[in-house]
Amino acid sequence: MAHYLCEKCGKVIDSNELLGLPGIRCPSCGHRILYKARSQIVHEIKSH
Amino acid sequence: MDVEVLGTTNDQLRLLVREIEPTFMSAIRRIIMAEVPIPAIDKVYIAENTGVLYDEMLAHRLGLIPLKGGETLTLPEKCSCDKKGCNLCESVLTLEVEAKEDNSIVYSGRLKAEGSVFPANNEIPIVKLNSGQKVALVAHARLGLGKEHAKWQPVSACVVKYEPVISIDSKKCELRAVCVEECPKKILAVKGKNLAVTSIWDCSLCKVCEEVCPNSAIRVSYNDRNSELIVETTGSLSTEELVLAACEVLLHKCEDLKNSIKDLPEAS
């Protein structure tokens, strides 16, 4: 599941919480700039 | 064959080998560059990276750091784990850092060795972080060969140079010293009433002296029976260890060939 961060209030938002909203906005403060949060899964990166 | 050390420093060795085939010297040079195994970081697991340098670039930069202490490791191709990675063929390093101030540089010295392998130099910059930015990762180093990737190349320079031969015709030379001034390596000098070569092995065979001499009194050529081998290490192995390791690899190749020929069915 993807997670987003609100640029204004810093709240971590689950992508499901965004589905019911009109457009992309923070469910708690209504700010319209969200960042995609880093995945919790650690991937192997080949050092080429 | 006759070997002489022309010069040595911490990271450079200059060997003069007399009466040797140039092809043999080239074989040693190529083996040093491509077939002497050294450790390098190959897999990186990044838990946190809030810096501006993205994960792949960070992993790439870590891979290029020369590492020491891979003597106890085995090549993954020869390991019993079948290239999956185990503690016999891999060594772990960790990095966990949070910047306290802006523009702070994380150096290779911050890599903490969990196994036998550690950075050869502690002053290689990895990433620049601003205040509060964090990097936390686990890196797995393994042995590899230079022909696979340049990060496993143990030398920054490995050169074979033929012996320069400079012949000066004193009857034609008018001692105008144009060649003395024009020589980029400054190896010519006027001594008394003669033109002399001060250090023959510094000659780069550029032939500028030949071109500027109005009387064609100087001729530059080379003798390919005598060669100079210049080895400049990145720090993973010492220069002496590198030359010896290359000889071992060449010896194993010859033995493999010998054994393969022995195993051939006899021609009927």
Side-chain angles (χ1 to χ4, degrees):
Chain A
M1 195 58 66
H3 290 87
Y4 296 87
L5 284 169
C6 174
E7 193 256 355
K8 196 176 174 188
C9 68
K11 188 182 183 297
V12 181
I13 306 148
D14 193 287
S15 58
N16 284 334
E17 291 178 59
L18 297 170
L19 294 174
L21 297 169
I24 302 289
R25 54 176 67 233
C26 174
S28 59
C29 72
H31 195 66
R32 288 169 64 185
I33 299 173
L34 305 178
Y35 295 122
K36 189 162 184 192
R38 190 185 176 89
S39 164
Q40 294 300 303
I41 306 160
V42 178
H43 296 284
E44 177 189 303
I45 300 167
K46 287 284 278 180
S47 160
H48 289 301
Chain B
M1 190 190 301
D2 175 29
V3 183
E4 189 186 315
V5 177
L6 284 177
T8 177
T9 59
N10 276 347
D11 51 10
Q12 199 196 50
L13 174 72
R14 292 174 66 199
L15 274 184
L16 163 59
V17 189
R18 289 195 183 90
E19 292 305 313
I20 194 162
E21 283 293 323
T23 45
F24 182 82
M25 286 304 285
S26 196
I28 294 286
R29 177 187 65 85
R30 290 182 64 134
I31 289 171
I32 290 176
M33 290 208 296
E35 293 184 58
V36 173
I38 58 156
I41 289 171
D42 191 38
K43 286 182 275 182
V44 184
Y45 302 90
I46 301 177
E48 198 166 6
N49 176 20
T50 50
V52 289
L53 206 68
Y54 44 80
D55 294 4
E56 285 77 8
M57 274 310 292
L58 195 59
H60 170 67
R61 289 186 64 79
L62 287 165
L64 295 174
I65 295 170
L67 301 174
K68 263 185 169 178
E71 294 84 5
T72 52
L73 296 178
T74 50
L75 273 164
E77 294 82 37
K78 292 175 185 169
C79 187
S80 54
C81 70
D82 200 22
K83 290 190 196 175
K84 280 175 192 148
C86 64
N87 56 3
L88 293 174
C89 62
E90 278 189 354
S91 185
V92 177
L93 295 115
T94 56
L95 176 70
E96 201 168 348
V97 61
E98 182 178 355
K100 297 272 187 294
E101 56 193 56
D102 283 357
N103 282 325
S104 48
I105 301 172
V106 180
Y107 291 96
S108 54
R110 296 293 295 264
L111 278 166
K112 200 174 145 201
E114 306 283 339
S116 60
V117 166
F118 58 95
N121 189 317
N122 288 337
E123 285 158 25
I124 301 167
I126 300 171
V127 62
K128 216 173 191 181
L129 299 176
N130 269 347
S131 175
Q133 292 182 335
K134 284 182 202 169
V135 170
L137 57 88
V138 176
H140 288 214
R142 71 165 174 92
L143 289 186
L145 306 177
K147 60 184 175 184
E148 192 181 336
H149 191 287
K151 66 184 175 182
W152 284 297
Q153 191 172 296
V155 283
S156 50
C158 190
V159 182
V160 171
K161 196 173 103 181
Y162 299 144
E163 181 187 33
V165 177
I166 302 173
S167 46
I168 301 160
D169 189 341
S170 52
K171 285 176 191 164
K172 286 184 187 173
C173 184
E174 292 172 352
L175 291 178
R176 289 191 198 173
V178 189
C179 54
V180 176
E181 277 174 30
E182 291 292 326
C183 175
K185 298 286 179 181
K186 302 289 173 212
I187 59 159
L188 297 169
V190 177
K191 283 186 181 170
K193 289 184 177 175
N194 288 313
L195 182 68
V197 182
T198 52
S199 54
I200 187 82
W201 283 101
D202 287 336
C203 176
S204 62
L205 301 168
C206 69
K207 299 197 175 188
V208 167
C209 50
E210 256 188 38
E211 286 162 21
V212 296
C213 182
N215 305 329
S216 304
I218 191 162
R219 280 274 166 271
V220 179
S221 60
Y222 58 83
N223 174 13
D224 65 5
R225 299 289 302 171
N226 298 346
S227 304
E228 182 192 10
L229 176 71
I230 304 165
V231 183
E232 205 174 276
T233 176
T234 55
S236 290
L237 293 173
S238 72
T239 46
E240 289 85 359
E241 284 171 329
L242 272 173
V243 177
L244 293 176
C247 294
E248 282 289 317
V249 172
L250 188 61
L251 207 63
H252 282 155
K253 277 173 182 276
C254 293
E255 271 171 13
D256 282 351
L257 179 67
K258 196 172 105 185
N259 294 335
S260 310
I261 292 169
K262 269 186 192 168
D263 296 342
L264 280 176
E266 281 185 32
S268 53

